[in-house]
Amino acid sequence: MNAAQAELLKRFDRNHDGKLDESELAIAHETMLKQGFTAAPGDERPKKIRAAMLKRFDKNGDGQLDAGERAEMRREILARFDKNGDGHLDENERAAMRAAFKAENKALKLKN
């Protein structure tokens, strides 16, 4: 684990189990976006991801994902990608999720 990963774990591991579950990752992602962090200078992907998440899950339209909306997002992601049913996405399941989202985004770009 590098220093950045250790810092993320320290800040966002709310249940202190030594890893970030989907809920903790969502909180970390939302916090980092609010604070203006991006993957790299000029990288628009985090903004696009946030916009897509808000469009799909921000039911009250306040521009943020509240606890209930994050829980709904987590339920949908787990229902779709948690193949072993353990309530968490392991490395392979997260890779499958990223690949599926990438393919869906590509399909949307081709459609528009």
Side-chain angles (χ1 to χ4, degrees), residues 1 9 12-21 24-25 86 88:
M1 177 181 311
L9 191 62
F12 297 106
D13 184 16
R14 304 275 167 101
N15 62 7
H16 307 291
D17 66 353
K19 59 186 175 192
L20 297 180
D21 63 28
E24 293 162 336
L25 284 169
D86 68 352
H88 300 281

Short mmCIF file of all heavy atoms in Angstrom, two decimals, residues 1 9 12-21 24-25 86 88:
data_model
loop_
_atom_site.label_atom_id
_atom_site.label_comp_id
_atom_site.label_asym_id
_atom_site.label_seq_id
_atom_site.Cartn_x
_atom_site.Cartn_y
_atom_site.Cartn_z
N MET A 1 0.85 -1.17 0.00
CA MET A 1 0.00 0.00 0.00
C MET A 1 0.90 1.24 0.00
O MET A 1 1.80 1.36 0.81
CB MET A 1 -0.90 -0.03 1.24
CG MET A 1 -1.77 1.19 1.38
SD MET A 1 -2.84 1.23 2.84
CE MET A 1 -3.61 -0.35 2.83
N LEU A 9 -7.37 5.28 3.37
CA LEU A 9 -7.87 4.31 4.33
C LEU A 9 -8.06 4.95 5.70
O LEU A 9 -9.10 4.78 6.35
CB LEU A 9 -6.92 3.11 4.41
CG LEU A 9 -7.42 1.90 5.16
CD1 LEU A 9 -8.66 1.32 4.51
CD2 LEU A 9 -6.33 0.84 5.22
N PHE A 12 -11.18 7.41 5.46
CA PHE A 12 -12.52 6.98 5.08
C PHE A 12 -12.94 5.59 5.55
O PHE A 12 -14.08 5.20 5.33
CB PHE A 12 -12.67 7.08 3.56
CG PHE A 12 -12.53 8.48 3.05
CD1 PHE A 12 -11.38 8.89 2.39
CD2 PHE A 12 -13.52 9.42 3.26
CE1 PHE A 12 -11.23 10.18 1.94
CE2 PHE A 12 -13.39 10.72 2.80
CZ PHE A 12 -12.25 11.10 2.15
N ASP A 13 -12.08 4.85 6.21
CA ASP A 13 -12.43 3.51 6.70
C ASP A 13 -13.25 3.66 7.98
O ASP A 13 -12.75 3.55 9.08
CB ASP A 13 -11.17 2.68 6.95
CG ASP A 13 -11.48 1.26 7.36
OD1 ASP A 13 -12.63 0.80 7.18
OD2 ASP A 13 -10.58 0.59 7.89
N ARG A 14 -14.55 3.91 7.81
CA ARG A 14 -15.43 4.22 8.94
C ARG A 14 -15.63 3.03 9.88
O ARG A 14 -15.79 3.21 11.07
CB ARG A 14 -16.80 4.69 8.42
CG ARG A 14 -16.72 5.87 7.48
CD ARG A 14 -16.70 7.17 8.25
NE ARG A 14 -16.32 8.29 7.42
CZ ARG A 14 -17.15 9.17 6.92
NH1 ARG A 14 -18.43 9.06 7.13
NH2 ARG A 14 -16.70 10.17 6.18
N ASN A 15 -15.64 1.82 9.34
CA ASN A 15 -15.85 0.65 10.19
C ASN A 15 -14.54 0.00 10.65
O ASN A 15 -14.54 -1.02 11.32
CB ASN A 15 -16.74 -0.38 9.51
CG ASN A 15 -16.15 -0.93 8.24
OD1 ASN A 15 -15.00 -0.65 7.89
ND2 ASN A 15 -16.94 -1.71 7.52
N HIS A 16 -13.42 0.60 10.27
CA HIS A 16 -12.08 0.18 10.72
C HIS A 16 -11.78 -1.30 10.44
O HIS A 16 -11.16 -1.97 11.25
CB HIS A 16 -11.89 0.50 12.21
CG HIS A 16 -12.19 1.93 12.54
ND1 HIS A 16 -11.40 2.97 12.12
CD2 HIS A 16 -13.24 2.49 13.20
CE1 HIS A 16 -11.93 4.11 12.54
NE2 HIS A 16 -13.04 3.86 13.18
N ASP A 17 -12.21 -1.75 9.25
CA ASP A 17 -11.93 -3.15 8.89
C ASP A 17 -10.70 -3.29 8.01
O ASP A 17 -10.38 -4.37 7.54
CB ASP A 17 -13.14 -3.80 8.23
CG ASP A 17 -13.49 -3.20 6.86
OD1 ASP A 17 -12.87 -2.18 6.48
OD2 ASP A 17 -14.38 -3.75 6.20
N GLY A 18 -9.99 -2.18 7.78
CA GLY A 18 -8.76 -2.22 7.00
C GLY A 18 -8.95 -2.16 5.50
O GLY A 18 -8.00 -2.33 4.74
N LYS A 19 -10.18 -1.91 5.04
CA LYS A 19 -10.44 -1.76 3.61
C LYS A 19 -11.62 -0.82 3.44
O LYS A 19 -12.38 -0.58 4.38
CB LYS A 19 -10.72 -3.11 2.96
CG LYS A 19 -11.89 -3.85 3.53
CD LYS A 19 -12.02 -5.23 2.95
CE LYS A 19 -13.14 -5.96 3.66
NZ LYS A 19 -13.16 -7.37 3.38
N LEU A 20 -11.76 -0.29 2.25
CA LEU A 20 -12.88 0.60 1.96
C LEU A 20 -13.96 -0.18 1.23
O LEU A 20 -13.72 -0.73 0.16
CB LEU A 20 -12.42 1.78 1.10
CG LEU A 20 -11.40 2.72 1.73
CD1 LEU A 20 -11.05 3.84 0.76
CD2 LEU A 20 -11.89 3.29 3.04
N ASP A 21 -15.14 -0.28 1.86
CA ASP A 21 -16.25 -0.94 1.18
C ASP A 21 -16.89 0.05 0.22
O ASP A 21 -16.45 1.20 0.10
CB ASP A 21 -17.26 -1.51 2.19
CG ASP A 21 -17.92 -0.45 3.06
OD1 ASP A 21 -18.05 0.71 2.63
OD2 ASP A 21 -18.31 -0.79 4.19
N GLU A 24 -18.02 3.37 1.78
CA GLU A 24 -16.88 4.21 2.13
C GLU A 24 -16.21 4.78 0.89
O GLU A 24 -15.79 5.94 0.87
CB GLU A 24 -15.88 3.40 2.97
CG GLU A 24 -16.42 3.02 4.33
CD GLU A 24 -15.66 1.90 5.01
OE1 GLU A 24 -15.00 1.10 4.31
OE2 GLU A 24 -15.73 1.81 6.24
N LEU A 25 -16.13 3.98 -0.17
CA LEU A 25 -15.57 4.47 -1.43
C LEU A 25 -16.43 5.59 -2.02
O LEU A 25 -15.90 6.57 -2.54
CB LEU A 25 -15.43 3.33 -2.45
CG LEU A 25 -14.27 2.37 -2.22
CD1 LEU A 25 -14.41 1.15 -3.13
CD2 LEU A 25 -12.94 3.06 -2.47
N ASP A 86 -20.99 -11.85 -1.32
CA ASP A 86 -20.45 -11.60 0.02
C ASP A 86 -20.71 -10.19 0.53
O ASP A 86 -20.29 -9.82 1.62
CB ASP A 86 -18.96 -11.91 0.08
CG ASP A 86 -18.10 -10.96 -0.74
OD1 ASP A 86 -18.66 -10.11 -1.48
OD2 ASP A 86 -16.87 -11.06 -0.65
N HIS A 88 -19.58 -7.41 -0.75
CA HIS A 88 -18.45 -6.53 -1.09
C HIS A 88 -18.01 -6.83 -2.50
O HIS A 88 -18.18 -7.94 -2.99
CB HIS A 88 -17.27 -6.75 -0.15
CG HIS A 88 -17.59 -6.50 1.29
ND1 HIS A 88 -17.65 -5.25 1.81
CD2 HIS A 88 -17.89 -7.35 2.29
CE1 HIS A 88 -17.97 -5.34 3.09
NE2 HIS A 88 -18.12 -6.59 3.40
#
